[in-house]
Amino acid sequence: MEIPKDHPRYKSLMTRERLAEMVQKGLVTPTGLISHGRGEAYDYLMGEKSTEAALEAEKAAAAFLLNAKNPVVCINGNAAALDPEGLIALAEAIPAKIEVNLFHRTPERMEGIISYLESKGAKEVLGRNPDRRIASLNHDRALCTEEGIFSSDVIVVPIEDGDRAEALVSMGKVVISIDLNPLSRTSRTATVPISDEMSRALENMIRFIGELRGDEATILKETKTFSAKDNRRKTVQCICDSLMSEFDEE
C-alpha cells in the first residue's frame, strides 16, 4: 500500500509493511510479527526515543565490544528484516563476526537470511554449517559455530529468546541484548540490557564505539561500573514518568 510520508506513523507503518513482505519471502515467521508488535508497544511507552538509560547501556555495550577478543553480532529473522544495514555497520565498526541463529530453523530460511545479509554487503556470514551446540538448549537455537557464537566472549543478541540468553550467560559470555521490554527474561538475564528500538540502538552504539576507541581508561570504567539492574530500574521509571506526564499535561 502507498503510505503518505506526512503520516504521523509513517516510519512505524513502513516497518510493518517491510516485515509483512519478509513474511511472504520466508525470512520472517508469522509469530515474528507478534514479537515486533509487543516491542513497539514498549517503544510508545518510552516516547519513541532513546532514553537516558538506553544511552547509558549503549555506551557500556560499546565498551564491552571494544574490549572483546571474539565479539559476535547474532542475527535472527526479525533483526535481519528490520535493519540489515545497521547490523552490518555495527559488526564492521567493532569489528565483529556475524552469525545467523534461528528458532524456526530450516535450511531454506537459513540460506535466505544469510543470502539477504550478503546482498546488503555482509561478508563471511556464519551459520550455514553449525559444528557446535549451546548446552542446555533442546531446540534448533542450540546450533552454532565454533568460530562464532560458541567461542565468542561478547555477543550482541537483538530481539532475543530469553532461554538462549540465559544459556549464553551461563557459558560465561557477556550478553548485550536489544529488547524494548525491560521486564523480559532476556533483559533480566543480559549483562547489558538495551531497551531501545533496534535501529536507534545500533546507531548509538556505533557512535559510542567511535568516541571510545583508544580511550582505555573510559572503556575499563564502563565495563566495571555498569549495573544491569540499576539500568533496568531507570527504564521502568522512565515508562512510569512518561505515563503520568500524559495526565500532568491536562
Side-chain angles (χ1 to χ4, degrees):
M1 62 179 292
E2 187 70 25
I3 301 173
K5 291 187 177 181
D6 61 353
H7 191 288
R9 307 298 309 157
Y10 176 77
K11 182 178 179 181
S12 174
L13 292 172
M14 290 299 294
T15 297
R16 296 176 199 178
E17 289 293 318
R18 184 166 68 253
L19 285 169
E21 179 184 351
M22 290 300 182
V23 169
Q24 294 178 344
K25 292 182 177 180
L27 302 189
V28 173
T29 66
T31 55
L33 300 180
I34 299 171
S35 174
H36 176 75
R38 183 176 58 201
E40 193 173 53
Y42 278 92
D43 203 21
Y44 292 168
L45 296 177
M46 290 185 276
E48 297 179 280
K49 61 183 180 182
S50 297
T51 66
E52 180 181 343
L55 290 168
E56 290 177 0
E58 286 150 2
K59 186 175 182 179
F64 276 107
L65 288 166
L66 286 170
N67 204 38
K69 293 181 173 61
N70 185 29
V72 170
V73 176
C74 185
I75 299 178
N76 63 14
N78 271 38
L82 287 170
D83 192 356
E85 294 87 355
L87 291 161
I88 294 166
L90 175 66
E92 290 176 346
I94 299 166
K97 296 167 184 170
I98 292 175
E99 181 164 342
V100 172
N101 179 274
L102 303 176
F103 184 83
H104 299 283
R105 182 188 180 109
T106 64
E108 294 78 16
R109 189 163 178 248
M110 283 293 295
E111 182 58 40
I113 292 172
I114 292 174
S115 297
Y116 179 66
L117 291 170
E118 290 173 340
S119 75
K120 297 294 183 178
K123 298 178 177 61
E124 299 182 12
V125 179
L126 302 172
R128 282 188 174 99
N129 302 301
D131 52 6
R132 298 299 296 263
R133 292 186 65 90
I134 299 170
S136 77
L137 293 182
N138 296 318
H139 49 74
D140 283 348
R141 294 214 79 180
L143 298 173
C144 64
T145 68
E146 169 70 33
E147 180 183 356
I149 290 172
F150 195 84
S151 63
S152 66
D153 56 340
V154 180
I155 182 167
V156 180
V157 287
I159 315 172
E160 174 67 6
D161 289 324
D163 60 342
R164 196 175 70 116
E166 288 179 335
L168 292 170
V169 169
S170 71
M171 292 172 70
K173 303 182 187 303
V174 170
V175 174
I176 299 167
S177 66
I178 304 176
D179 186 337
L180 277 156
N181 179 1
L183 304 176
S184 71
R185 183 167 55 168
T186 299
S187 294
R188 296 199 312 268
T189 299
T191 317
V192 183
I194 299 171
S195 294
D196 202 354
E197 187 273 330
M198 194 183 79
S199 292
R200 291 197 305 264
L202 295 173
E203 183 178 345
N204 292 334
M205 290 164 70
I206 291 168
R207 174 168 58 83
F208 282 126
I209 285 170
E211 292 175 3
L212 292 176
R213 193 182 304 278
D215 187 350
E216 299 302 327
T218 303
I219 289 173
L220 181 61
K221 179 182 178 183
E222 288 290 331
T223 60
K224 294 296 184 183
T225 62
F226 180 79
S227 167
K229 185 176 181 179
D230 289 347
N231 191 265
R232 289 197 307 112
R233 182 182 290 110
K234 289 180 181 178
T235 300
V236 172
Q237 187 62 56
C238 173
I239 291 173
C240 293
D241 293 344
S242 178
L243 287 170
M244 294 310 298
S245 68
E246 293 293 321
F247 299 97
D248 294 340
E249 293 173 359
E250 292 181 356

